[in-house]
Amino acid sequence: MSLRLACIADDYTGASDLANTLSRNGLRTVQTIGIPADGLALPEIDAIVVAFKIRSVPAREAAAAALAAAEYCTARGAGHVMYKICSTFDSTDAGNIGPVTEALAARAGGLCVPVCPAFPETGRTVYQGHLFVGAVPLAESPLKDHPLNPMRDSNLVRVLARQSSRPVGLVPFDTVERGATAISAALDAALGEGRGACIVDAIAERHLLALGEAALRRPVSTGASGLGLGLARAIAGGAAPAAAPDFPAPEGPAAIIAGSCSAATLDQIAAVRGRIPICHLDADSLLAGDMSAALDWAGELLDSGPVLLASSATPEAVAALKSAHGAEVGARIEAALATLAAGLADRGVRRLIVAGGETSGAIVDRLGIPAFEIGAEIAPGVPLLRSIEPEPRLFALKSGNFGGRDFFPRALAAMGVAPTPGAD
Ligand SMILES: Nc1ncnc2c1ncn2[C@@H]1O[C@H](COP(=O)(O)OP(=O)(O)O)[C@@H](O)[C@H]1O
Ligand SMILES: O=C(O)[C@@H](O)C(=O)COP(=O)(O)O
């Protein structure tokens, strides 16, 4: 199979989540960081996931990046472009899901784009246009306190309309239940009414399969890993997926950096207390970008086993820091964590787990990694990754909200590292 599917991801953890889903559903997939440079040796692939860090940048910049990637991929044969967004629809009213979707649709000649962030495997479902995270509506989930894009409205038709220049519609559950042809007809009817996009309901895998089939009949779709599952199955046509490649563990120590302040990450950090040495990074050093003390601390311990360094804080502490230092604290902390990652790499770390999407973006950029191969799944939405250049290193880029309590030990085990007993 040659390149069939182009995916453009708005962050790096989201990209690896999608690449994991595509691989597990029969498509040979690679994740690149931005548009691949000429000469980058990519394996034979059916799908490419071009990862950008454009979730929280100005909309015009996000649209320009997505359009350039769509151009690159369609020139290489991809017949469908999927814009990968977060399964919790992370964005602001000035955000990028609407503008990027509209830009990709305009490039493709105009259509009503199906938009669906459902990912039932991780508890994200969409019913009557409302997004649920597990058992609660989005606006009652921990996402209401996200440091960058607090999600305070669960009605995605409303959320997307506020970011769009054209009206937004809904393909409701009863239509989705009737299958791909009914979804296609609803999207065509919505286009006739002048709608540029429709939120599509989906709560179970059968809805994703129907959605994938309907989406593939058009040039553009927007959504999360559930949409990717549907597209992959529609393209692979039931072909059995190849077994995930085995990545031999590289020489060198392992470390974990957490910049996510999500409830799941806070819980995962608490779960390894007393099992993995933890450095809670202080706000002053983070804001000053001074990671020297943390690197000295890690340097003493790395030869004995993995260490965890975290800026992660409770919603109250995040709110206090933002009110004292302004909204840009997030970007300053990301920069400090990237400095930390570079320092750890200088100290030999070749296996790195990162918690947090924006945090992963900053770190992967600082390390200069151009692309990843996709390995075995560690947890739903999080695969083991191996960098293609500068030399093979292992990574796990964890979306803040993903993974069970035991995520860090599982990721370390997948990298061939057993956690050692240690004290904070
Ligand atoms: N202690 C802190 N106070 C305020 N913001 C923080 C703190 N620690 C990390 N951040 C910022 O919070 C944001 C977390 O986003 P991200 O890395 O995408 O995690 P998630 O995957 O949970 O969304 C980043 O911008 C990060 O720099
Ligand atoms: O779709 C998802 O939920 C993830 O793939 C994703 O995009 C997560 O973003 P972060 O929580 O910012 O890592």
Side-chain angles (χ1 to χ4, degrees):
M1 219 192 274
S2 59
L3 185 63
R4 296 281 309 274
L5 179 63
C7 303
I8 300 164
D10 69 354
D11 83 346
Y12 296 7
T13 46
S16 64
D17 161 21
L18 177 62
N20 177 52
T21 295
L22 300 178
S23 307
R24 289 177 63 225
N25 287 281
L27 302 186
R28 294 167 301 170
T29 305
V30 77
Q31 171 179 349
T32 64
I33 303 304
I35 296 170
D38 290 344
L40 177 67
L42 293 177
E44 185 70 13
I45 46 173
D46 311 310
I48 184 168
V49 183
V50 179
F52 287 116
K53 191 175 183 301
I54 55 173
R55 188 172 289 174
S56 306
V57 304
R60 195 186 294 263
E61 200 182 308
L67 287 172
E71 210 57 53
Y72 172 92
C73 297
T74 50
R76 282 154 186 79
H80 183 90
V81 176
M82 170 184 166
Y83 182 44
K84 162 68 176 70
I85 58 164
C86 189
S87 64
T88 46
F89 221 77
D90 293 18
S91 54
T92 63
D93 289 349
N96 296 339
I97 300 176
V100 172
T101 298
E102 287 184 343
L104 291 173
R107 175 186 172 276
L111 70 150
C112 178
V113 179
V115 178
C116 180
F119 188 14
E121 199 181 344
T122 55
R124 277 61 155 167
T125 55
V126 183
Y127 182 68
Q128 303 300 349
H130 291 254
L131 178 57
F132 289 82
V133 178
V136 297
L138 175 66
E140 292 171 31
S141 78
L143 271 298
K144 70 183 189 315
D145 299 317
H146 190 280
L148 302 176
N149 4 258
M151 300 306 292
R152 303 267 163 91
D153 186 354
S154 310
N155 181 328
L156 298 186
V157 177
R158 274 196 312 244
V159 174
L160 186 59
R162 288 197 291 267
Q163 307 174 14
S164 302
S165 66
R166 297 175 67 191
V168 174
L170 171 68
V171 180
F173 181 74
D174 58 341
T175 305
V176 177
E177 277 280 78
R178 287 191 279 118
T181 302
I183 297 172
S184 283
L187 291 168
D188 289 342
L191 181 65
E193 294 160 7
R195 300 187 196 282
C198 277
I199 299 295
V200 182
D201 280 353
I203 64 172
E205 188 169 303
R206 67 179 184 282
H207 306 130
L208 303 174
L209 299 180
L211 170 61
E213 206 183 312
L216 201 58
R217 295 178 194 164
R218 354 193 116 241
V220 176
S221 60
T222 293
S225 256
L227 171 64
L229 181 149
L231 286 168
R233 295 277 188 90
I235 293 170
D246 201 20
F247 296 149
E251 291 291 315
I256 305 167
I257 298 179
S260 161
C261 299
S262 77
T265 301
L266 294 176
D267 205 30
Q268 288 154 355
I269 295 171
V272 294
R273 197 175 303 284
R275 296 166 68 195
I276 296 174
I278 303 176
C279 173
H280 293 281
L281 301 159
D282 68 89
D284 289 343
S285 312
L286 284 164
L287 293 179
D290 178 5
M291 293 291 97
S292 51
L295 284 166
D296 288 346
W297 173 87
E300 297 280 311
L301 295 166
L302 278 170
D303 283 344
S304 322
V307 297
L308 191 166
L309 301 106
S311 71
S312 313
T314 60
E316 297 72 34
V318 169
L321 202 64
K322 278 169 73 175
S323 81
H325 296 279
E328 71 286 0
V329 289
R332 288 168 67 184
I333 293 176
E334 288 166 33
L337 295 181
T339 301
L340 180 64
L344 291 173
D346 290 344
R347 285 159 181 75
V349 167
R350 294 292 176 268
R351 296 174 257 193
L352 184 64
I353 299 163
V354 185
E358 296 296 326
T359 307
S360 294
I363 287 176
V364 168
D365 281 352
R366 185 71 67 90
L367 296 179
I369 290 159
F372 292 109
E373 296 172 86
I374 314 302
E377 179 177 87
I378 300 167
V382 196
L384 185 62
L385 300 172
R386 181 166 69 177
S387 54
I388 290 181
E389 288 178 7
E391 84 274 314
R393 301 182 196 176
L394 296 184
F395 289 83
L397 307 180
K398 187 192 83 76
S399 154
N401 300 298
F402 283 174
R405 259 201 126 225
D406 61 346
F407 178 81
F408 292 138
R410 285 175 71 106
L412 288 167
M415 295 177 170
V417 186
T420 48
D424 287 9

